[in-house]
Amino acid sequence: MPTATATTAELPECANCAETVDLLRCSRCHNALFCSRACQRAYWPFHRLSCQKNEFADAVEETEPKFASWMRSHGKLAVLKDDEVDRLERAGAATMGVSRSEVLESMYNRLEPRPQEPTYTAEEMQAMRTSRNHASNQKALLPSHKQAWEQIQPASDLGQDCGTYKWSQTQTEISVFVQLPEQTRRHEVVVELTPSKLMIKLGAKLILNGQLYSDVKKEDSMWLLADRILHLTMLKRNRRGNYANQCTNADTFWKSVMKHAPQQERLEAAYPPSRYYALAIENDVSSSQQHTMAVAGLQRKLRAAPE
């Protein structure tokens, strides 16, 4: 990272700890300042939301450093010159020839920040509608318990469909879903949970067995059966509002259910996604949690029912 120089007019500080000596500038966005790589890594979950590479500023950095700094500080990706504005105005007023959108596209080329809208023919649109209708009709033919299983769709960066089980997470809980085979009886469902280990077994078939990714609170965790689905909810011991020593919110993120899970059952993200920090502590209503809320309501009814 290039070294940042302080000025008498403004005293810059580290974005993480407010240190003002020997600051380094982020090599990607050239805006944020840090006193060390340790501070940069610690602040990354928050800095990544605004850290963006500015290719236009990089291109003019050597010849016009002040202009490049202005573009970065104001979030500008490009600036049109007077002759380029004239070209756009002429193209917009013309009744024939090159259109205004074509002129704009030629100016930005690969650095255009806005993605182009997809174009489809009438036949392609009809094929997509037919495919959607077919998928909808096929889903309607499924039994209710299979529809419930299909509706559990963990967000790709917050959980995973691992085939034999699905899992998702919030900042406080881990939810694990296992679909029971047709002939499985209730006494064949075995769940053994300790603060650091988990074992789920359906008859003779072992679904999960081993050390958890991180510790949980066994006394505040629960599991139940509904719609032929085993739903296990585990309360994270290190969670939002109850952090372990020297831990931050980023440390509450689980990359897998089991600590030694195979690679295909682990999330690939190096850092928690931004949506993880935006999740509510309770009552998350993502599609993967709809079944959670339904069975929680069923559990309340069972508790209130007379014996």
Side-chain angles (χ1 to χ4, degrees), residues 88-304:
L88 286 173
E89 291 178 347
R90 289 196 301 270
T95 57
M96 58 182 300
V98 181
S99 66
R100 185 180 185 277
S101 60
E102 291 174 333
V103 172
L104 184 63
E105 182 179 359
S106 67
M107 290 179 179
Y108 283 90
N109 198 11
R110 67 180 182 87
L111 297 179
E112 162 59 30
R114 297 170 298 178
Q116 295 182 351
E117 296 183 1
T119 56
Y120 302 103
T121 64
E123 292 77 9
E124 291 172 333
M125 292 293 293
Q126 180 60 39
M128 287 188 289
R129 283 192 293 267
T130 302
S131 178
R132 285 196 298 267
N133 292 337
H134 177 72
S136 178
N137 294 335
Q138 289 295 108
K139 184 176 294 186
L141 296 175
L142 292 174
S144 59
H145 65 279
K146 291 187 177 181
Q147 291 187 33
W149 179 252
E150 292 296 330
Q151 290 173 359
I152 301 174
Q153 298 294 333
S156 59
D157 49 0
L158 297 176
Q160 198 174 12
D161 182 351
C162 300
T164 55
Y165 68 96
K166 300 179 182 180
W167 71 280
S168 62
Q169 65 180 309
T170 65
Q171 297 179 69
T172 58
E173 293 181 345
I174 294 292
S175 293
V176 179
F177 307 91
V178 180
Q179 188 177 31
L180 274 60
E182 295 288 342
Q183 304 301 323
T184 303
R185 298 180 180 274
R186 289 180 180 270
H187 70 271
E188 296 178 315
V189 179
V190 179
V191 179
E192 295 182 1
L193 177 65
T194 71
S196 60
K197 294 183 179 181
L198 170 65
M199 190 270 283
I200 297 179
K201 189 176 181 181
L202 303 180
K205 184 177 182 181
L206 196 62
I207 305 299
L208 290 170
N209 186 30
Q211 187 174 359
L212 290 166
Y213 185 84
S214 187
D215 287 352
V216 300
K217 296 197 68 176
K218 175 186 175 181
E219 62 275 16
D220 293 320
S221 302
M222 57 163 284
W223 68 272
L224 52 85
L225 301 176
D227 294 327
R228 293 188 184 175
I229 297 175
L230 164 65
H231 174 215
L232 169 65
T233 300
M234 298 178 290
L235 183 66
K236 298 176 178 178
R237 181 168 292 278
N238 181 29
R239 62 189 183 277
R240 179 175 175 177
N242 190 17
Y243 303 116
N245 292 336
Q246 299 181 345
C247 288
T248 66
N249 206 6
D251 298 315
T252 67
F253 185 74
W254 286 32
K255 294 185 179 180
S256 61
V257 177
M258 311 305 291
K259 185 173 184 179
H260 302 293
Q263 187 63 35
Q264 64 271 20
E265 297 182 7
R266 301 176 66 89
L267 299 179
E268 298 180 356
Y271 302 96
S274 57
R275 78 164 83 182
Y276 178 72
Y277 300 102
L279 289 176
I281 299 179
E282 297 178 352
N283 297 329
D284 177 55
V285 294
S286 64
S287 60
S288 63
Q289 297 296 321
Q290 291 177 1
H291 188 266
T292 304
M293 299 174 67
V295 296
L298 175 61
Q299 185 191 40
R300 287 193 293 269
K301 292 180 180 178
L302 292 175
R303 287 176 176 174

